Amino acid sequence: MRELFGRPACLTDEPFLYCPGCSHGIAHRLVAEAIDRLGIRGRTVCVSSIGCSVRCWRNFDLDVVQGAHGRGLAVATGLKRAQPDKVIFTYQGDGDLAAIGMGETIHAAARGEAITVIFINNAVFGATGGQLAPTTLVGQVTSTYPGGRDPSWVGWPIRVAELLAQLPATAYIAREALTTPQRVLRARRAVQLAFEVQIKGQGFALVELLAACPPNLKLDPVQALNWVETKMIPHYPLGQLKPAKGAAR
Amino acid sequence: MQEPTRRVLMKGNEAIGEAAIRAGCRFYFGYPITPQNELLEYMASHLPAAGGVFLQSESELAGISMLYGAAAAGKRAMVSSSSPGISLMQEGISYLASAELPALIVNISRGGPGLGRIAPAQSDYLQATKGGGHGDYNILVLAPASVQEMADLTVLAFELADAYRVPAMVLGDGIVGQMMEPVALPPPVTELPPKPWAATGCEGRPRNLILSAPYTDAELVELNRRLQRKYAAIRAREQRAECVLMDDAELGIVAFGIAARLALAAADNLRERGYRVGVIRPVTLWPFPETAFRAYPAVRAYLTVEMNEGQMVQDVRLAVNGAVPVHFLGQGGGYVPPVDAIEEQALAILEGGLAR
Amino acid sequence: MKREYTFAGFGGQGILFMGQVLAHAAMFAGFETSWMPSYGPEMRGGTANCSVVISDRKVRSPLVYRPDLAVVFNNPSLQKFGPRVKPGGTVLMVADLIDGGPDRDDVAVYPVPARGIAERLGHPAAVNMVMAGALLAVDPTVTPEQFEAALRTVTPAHRLATLGANLQAIREGMGFVTARRQDRPATGGGGE
């Protein structure tokens, strides 16, 4: 019997422990599929971040290095500079990458470190219970700003992909959403491309994946996906902010 | 006189860099801060030629995490900084300890607290020897007192860090960092210990995990137990001290790093005047060389001399355990104890009947 | 045997370099030695000084509190370090940059018009080497040959063009002091 659908070799048989409707499971799978398809499992190292995906090492059947909160891209820089022939990727949320880790993020991108970044943007701090993130939308209710994000008080949400796309050493920057099958297929291509860019030595590659966090949005899973579609995508437009050299747009 | 061995005259900071390269360190990350810039610049100009990687990090936070990454890859790697920068690195040092990664951190310390000044100081003793960051951990701390030791203890730090899978620190100050002395450089290391635990990609083997946090509470308890067993082994085997003129000493001066050189000068002068004074110089600050103190039951008082407000005094008192009084001479903020001040204080203790 | 030296002047007068050459020469001669730059608040104040210790056994304190010999290049340095020289010690001073001399009679004083000598040689930057020559004339701890070998080692590749001028300056400094000592043999040079 031919297997049409199965668990990628890069995933362990540990169940995902994420909340119902959380997008991390899909994102994990896309990463694992890309590594499988490219045949790079044996030379890939994952840098996990701090947040809901802090224990992604349970699910990725890969060498994994757990970095400190926000320092993922500095850890990845050390790993990559120490072994340039290996494939290094970070898996980071918006708090980790864009709040406490923004310095490491911008400088790794500015140096053009040949690292693949999978950036999960769900507009909220998930693991700590729904506090304001740098990507929280204007008016969005969080546990630290129950009246909604007021730009006059805490500023505007940061468009990370646009920010990094301006830097000359970034090689590929894209944003996709994990809301519908069509969008997931687009995201799948983007994730794979982000690894291919590294393998070709083109520079820094980042895919921002808009993700749903139902419990912290106080929505059910379907409502949460709709919220990403109708609220997040208008603020965070999808597509290639910086296309990779020689790749189809 | 004939030159005994081939020696070169080097600054202490440069000797660390050259010794690190000879010890097989090929990865250096750092951020500029005085008084350790000679080391940063030495690595910038010499490491690439040795086939290594020099990277100026955007901050000490990033630098220590780059070190964490290179160490996780199984490489000999180092950072260097000075006190305020080392404070920023404490998060990463705690992570290195928890993930059991060998790595070298050099602190050419300066006066604090806060920004402080670049004058030489030993005010980071407690931070260095009591862990420094959060959690129950220790790091190896080696305190060179000469340019030769800047080189030798750098090599030793790498060796011990690898042997025990712990971070190690070379703790110097602006004087040993910037002075020049002849140094016989260590021979280049040709073979490094294997690191089968490193995160290099899982080709042909089960995956390796470099984790700071285990999955369960019970596993975290077990990690702590394992670390404590390791620290007990280090305490048992790796204490190092230099004891000079101690055999018949009535008064033992305890000092580390450059302060010990001044203490030795004072002890020499006092010996010339007939006083029985010796010096115990801790070379490892952690583990503190407490067993050295047991070899000299004739000592009737100790005087610790430090370039801080008395941070090592408590370790000396614990080592002596109340048997004899422990006096203190020192000051924070860039004070270098003059030799005659040490003599004067020692004389006051000797002539005061060696009592508290 | 232990000899302690202090070199002091303005930044840019080659004070630190001069001390480094002496320390190198001492190492080549088989001695233990240390070189210590001025450190701390003074470092940015426009003055430069360094200490050198030469000994036949391990140097204890690299910090020099009371030098056997001080070489001073300006008035503030004379005021600061002149009083610290050990009784019986030596003060070498750049006479044409300093007014007067140390206010004490228990040290040997050698005023050397080093700036004039260096300018006459057409190498105005070589004041420090004129003073080094003066030092070699009064202090036998290292030989002129050892000092010259050290100078060749320490001079960076991009400054090798200065080597000849510096060697000439050393000879002039030595010659000046040697001639004066023959005129006035009473002054002692050592501190032992």
Side-chain angles (χ1 to χ4, degrees), chain C residues 25-40:
Chain C
M27 179 178 74
F28 293 158
F31 289 113
E32 296 294 337
T33 187
S34 66
W35 171 90
M36 177 67 209
S38 73
Y39 192 77

Side-chain angles (χ1 to χ4, degrees), chain B residues 153-347:
Chain B
L153 295 184
T154 295
V155 177
L156 181 65
F158 276 118
E159 287 170 354
L160 294 178
D162 278 348
Y164 293 98
R165 286 187 63 182
V166 293
M169 176 179 282
V170 169
L171 177 61
D173 61 70
I175 297 178
V176 279
Q178 302 199 325
M179 66 192 264
M180 295 178 98
E181 286 183 325
V183 52
L185 289 164
V189 171
T190 49
E191 203 172 332
L192 293 173
K195 294 180 178 173
W197 45 262
T200 56
C202 60
E203 191 69 57
R205 59 158 170 75
R207 66 187 182 142
N208 284 336
L209 298 173
I210 307 287
L211 301 181
S212 178
Y215 188 56
T216 65
D217 291 346
E219 284 168 350
L220 184 56
V221 169
E222 178 45 37
L223 169 66
N224 272 277
R225 284 195 185 129
R226 188 167 72 246
L227 291 178
Q228 291 306 317
R229 281 195 297 272
K230 179 152 69 176
Y231 299 153
I234 293 172
R235 275 198 202 93
R237 292 187 214 134
E238 305 300 345
Q239 294 181 25
R240 285 168 172 79
E242 185 189 24
C243 301
V244 182
L245 306 171
M246 281 300 295
D247 287 340
D248 64 341
E250 287 184 305
L251 174 70
I253 305 179
V254 189
F256 70 93
I258 198 65
R261 300 270 296 265
L262 308 175
L264 279 166
D268 276 351
N269 294 344
L270 289 164
R271 284 269 169 185
E272 275 173 25
R273 292 156 69 182
Y275 294 99
R276 300 205 319 239
V277 178
V279 174
I280 295 182
R281 176 172 73 88
V283 174
T284 53
L285 301 186
W286 194 90
F288 190 75
E290 54 192 13
T291 53
F293 291 80
R294 291 182 206 144
Y296 307 108
V299 171
R300 293 168 61 202
Y302 283 101
L303 167 64
T304 82
V305 177
E306 304 177 60
M307 287 147 60
N308 59 43
E309 295 289 347
Q311 297 191 17
M312 186 176 61
V313 171
Q314 54 183 258
D315 282 334
V316 177
R317 288 198 173 131
L318 284 169
V320 168
N321 200 17
V324 294
V326 177
H327 304 266
F328 169 67
L329 171 68
Q331 199 171 298
Y335 167 83
V336 181
V339 172
D340 55 8
I342 301 173
E343 286 174 47
E344 205 172 296
Q345 178 96 0
L347 270 179

Side-chain angles (χ1 to χ4, degrees), chain C:
Chain C
M1 191 287 288
K2 184 177 78 170
R3 294 279 288 164
E4 296 179 292
Y5 304 81
T6 294
F7 303 89
F10 288 124
Q13 286 180 314
I15 308 292
L16 303 186
F17 181 78
M18 181 179 181
Q20 283 186 12
V21 178
L22 179 64
H24 267 95
M27 179 178 74
F28 293 158
F31 289 113
E32 296 294 337
T33 187
S34 66
W35 171 90
M36 177 67 209
S38 73
Y39 192 77
E42 294 156 353
M43 199 164 170
R44 307 288 156 107
T47 62
N49 66 75
C50 68
S51 307
V52 172
V53 181
I54 300 175
S55 175
D56 54 9
R57 51 172 214 154
K58 272 191 172 179
V59 174
R60 300 294 210 203
S61 169
L63 304 179
V64 171
Y65 301 93
R66 273 174 288 279
D68 297 294
L69 187 151
V71 186
V72 292
F73 285 66
N74 60 19
N75 280 314
S77 297
L78 175 67
Q79 280 151 24
K80 182 168 180 182
F81 295 102
R84 295 193 195 175
V85 175
K86 279 179 195 156
T90 307
V91 177
L92 296 172
M93 46 186 266
V94 182
D96 41 11
L97 292 175
I98 292 175
D99 313 313
D103 190 19
R104 53 190 289 191
D105 53 15
D106 58 347
V107 292
V109 180
Y110 294 91
V112 182
R115 187 167 80 164
I117 294 173
E119 280 171 358
R120 183 167 49 73
L121 291 172
H123 308 302
V127 174
N128 60 341
M129 289 299 120
V130 176
M131 295 309 288
L135 183 147
L136 292 167
V138 303
D139 184 314
T141 308
V142 303
T143 65
E145 292 72 26
Q146 286 161 341
F147 193 89
E148 185 183 322
L151 180 64
R152 289 178 190 279
T153 302
V154 177
T155 302
H158 67 278
R159 307 202 69 167
L160 276 178
T162 65
L163 196 57
N166 280 338
L167 293 173
Q168 199 183 353
I170 291 169
R171 281 192 294 273
E172 292 287 331
M174 283 182 71
F176 178 87
V177 172
T178 306
R180 288 300 161 94
R181 288 182 98 186
Q182 280 157 0
D183 295 346
R184 268 193 309 130
T187 38
E192 292 99 332

Side-chain angles (χ1 to χ4, degrees), chain A residues 122-124 140-141 211-219 223-225 227-228:
Chain A
N122 60 11
V124 75
Q140 182 186 336
V141 171
C213 182
N216 284 315
L217 294 169
K218 311 274 189 285
L219 299 171
Q223 290 171 332
L225 290 175
W227 186 87
V228 175

Side-chain angles (χ1 to χ4, degrees), chain A residues 77 81 107 111 113, chain B residues 28-33 40-41 44 53-59 62-63 66:
Chain A
T77 296
R81 296 282 182 141
H107 284 279
R111 289 191 301 268
E113 299 291 344
Chain B
Y28 173 94
F29 309 99
Y31 183 86
I33 183 170
L40 180 85
E41 288 161 2
V53 170
F54 166 87
L55 196 59
Q56 184 172 326
S57 61
E58 65 269 26
S59 68
M66 291 173 185

Side-chain angles (χ1 to χ4, degrees), chain A residues 152-238:
Chain A
S152 73
W153 189 252
V154 286
W156 297 82
I158 297 171
R159 292 188 178 102
V160 171
E162 284 82 347
L163 189 69
L164 299 182
Q166 300 171 45
L167 298 170
T170 53
Y172 174 63
I173 306 286
R175 182 186 290 119
E176 301 296 346
L178 302 176
T179 48
T180 67
Q182 293 90 330
R183 294 206 194 285
V184 170
L185 286 174
R186 278 181 50 149
R188 186 184 194 219
R189 284 192 293 274
V191 167
Q192 182 166 332
L193 191 50
F195 279 96
E196 288 171 2
V197 161
Q198 175 175 176
I199 293 164
K200 290 180 193 159
Q202 293 178 337
F204 185 90
L206 175 141
V207 179
E208 176 173 341
L209 297 171
L210 302 186
C213 182
N216 284 315
L217 294 169
K218 311 274 189 285
L219 299 171
D220 70 29
V222 174
Q223 290 171 332
L225 290 175
N226 285 335
W227 186 87
V228 175
E229 275 285 327
T230 58
K231 306 284 193 201
M232 282 189 84
I233 292 177
H235 184 74
Y236 297 113
L238 306 184

